[in-house]
Amino acid sequence: MNENASKSRILSTARALFFVNGFDKVTTDLLAREASVSKATIYRYFDNMSGILQHVLEAEADVFRAEVLGDISSHPDLRTALTSFGRKFLSFLSEQDSVKFTCLIHEVARDYPQVGRIFYTAAFEAVCTAVSGLLAQGQETGELRGDFDPADVAEDLISLLKGFGTVRAQLGLTTRPYKDIDQHVARGVDTILIAYRASDGPALA
C-alpha cells in the first residue's frame, strides 16, 4: 500500500469509527486494527487523534462546499442562482450521512471547541461568503436595494432555508427533514427577494 493510500485508509476508517463510537472512544489501537495499519504508520502522518479528526473535518468541509455551491455564480438570474443554491444546500443537509456528521461535530465541539470552529469556518462561512456575492451582484444590477449588508442577508437566507428541519433530524425525530425541498426553498428565496427588492427595480416576485 503506497503512502497516499495508507493515509486515505486511516482517514476513511477514522471517519467511520467516529460515527459509530464517538470521538473519545476511538483510540489509536482501535484505528490501527480497523484500518489494517500499524500504530507507527498512523503516527507517521498524524501527531494524535485530534489531528486525525481535524483532517476528517477539513475533508468533510471540502465536500460540503463542493456539493452545496457547485457553479451557482454562473447563473445570470438572481432567483435561479439562489434557488439552485437552496436546493443543493437542503439536499445535502437532508442526507443521513450529513445529519450524523453534524451530530458528531456538536458532540466533539463541547470538549474541543477548535473542532466546531474549523468546520464552521471552512464550510458555513465559505458558503455564506458565496451567497453574499450573489446578493451583492443583485445590488449592482439594481434588482436589490443597496442599503443592506449582503453578508447579513446571506445569513438570514441560510437560516430561513435550514428552519427546524435539520434540528428535527439531529434529534432523531424524523429521517426526512424537509417534506418538499422545492417548496421550502421557494418560500425562503421569495421572502428575501421580496423583502429587499429595489423599489424601482424589476419585479422579483
Side-chain angles (χ1 to χ4, degrees):
M1 187 182 298
N2 63 43
E3 290 197 1
N4 285 337
S6 295
K7 185 175 181 180
S8 296
R9 187 186 186 107
I10 292 167
L11 291 174
S12 62
T13 303
R15 183 181 187 276
L17 290 173
F18 291 153
F19 275 162
V20 174
N21 301 284
F23 173 68
D24 288 335
K25 291 186 174 61
V26 179
T27 65
T28 51
D29 287 324
L30 174 61
L31 178 57
R33 184 169 65 251
E34 294 296 319
S36 300
V37 298
S38 67
K39 288 175 67 174
T41 299
I42 292 175
Y43 286 120
R44 183 185 310 155
Y45 302 113
F46 309 102
D47 293 333
N48 48 44
M49 290 303 298
S50 294
I52 293 173
L53 178 61
Q54 179 170 338
H55 278 78
V56 169
L57 284 172
E58 289 171 347
E60 197 73 13
D62 287 342
V63 172
F64 182 97
R65 288 194 301 270
E67 290 289 332
V68 168
L69 293 180
D71 61 351
I72 59 170
S73 62
S74 69
H75 293 292
D77 177 68
L78 181 60
R79 179 188 294 281
T80 301
L82 293 177
T83 299
S84 174
F85 157 73
R87 286 173 179 159
K88 292 176 183 178
F89 183 57
L90 293 193
S91 294
F92 185 82
L93 293 182
S94 297
E95 294 174 5
Q96 289 304 299
D97 206 36
S98 299
V99 172
K100 289 194 298 182
F101 200 88
T102 302
C103 290
L104 173 65
I105 292 172
H106 288 172
E107 172 193 333
V108 174
R110 286 194 297 269
D111 296 318
Y112 302 89
Q114 73 276 14
V115 165
R117 191 176 303 112
I118 289 167
F119 189 76
Y120 179 81
T121 299
F124 282 96
E125 281 193 352
V127 168
C128 192
T129 298
V131 176
S132 297
L134 291 174
L135 295 170
Q137 289 177 39
Q139 289 179 317
E140 292 169 3
T141 59
E143 294 175 274
L144 301 178
R145 300 197 321 255
D147 61 348
F148 66 86
D149 184 340
D152 291 339
V153 177
E155 186 171 336
D156 290 343
L157 174 60
I158 290 169
S159 298
L160 275 172
L161 293 174
K162 287 186 66 178
F164 286 165
T166 54
V167 174
R168 288 191 291 267
Q170 289 161 17
L171 292 175
L173 302 178
T174 182
T175 57
R176 189 183 178 194
Y178 307 98
K179 293 180 181 179
D180 188 320
I181 286 178
D182 286 348
Q183 286 187 9
H184 190 87
V185 169
R187 286 197 304 272
V189 170
D190 283 348
T191 297
I192 292 298
L193 293 184
I194 292 171
Y196 292 96
R197 180 171 65 91
S199 58
D200 57 347
L204 291 165

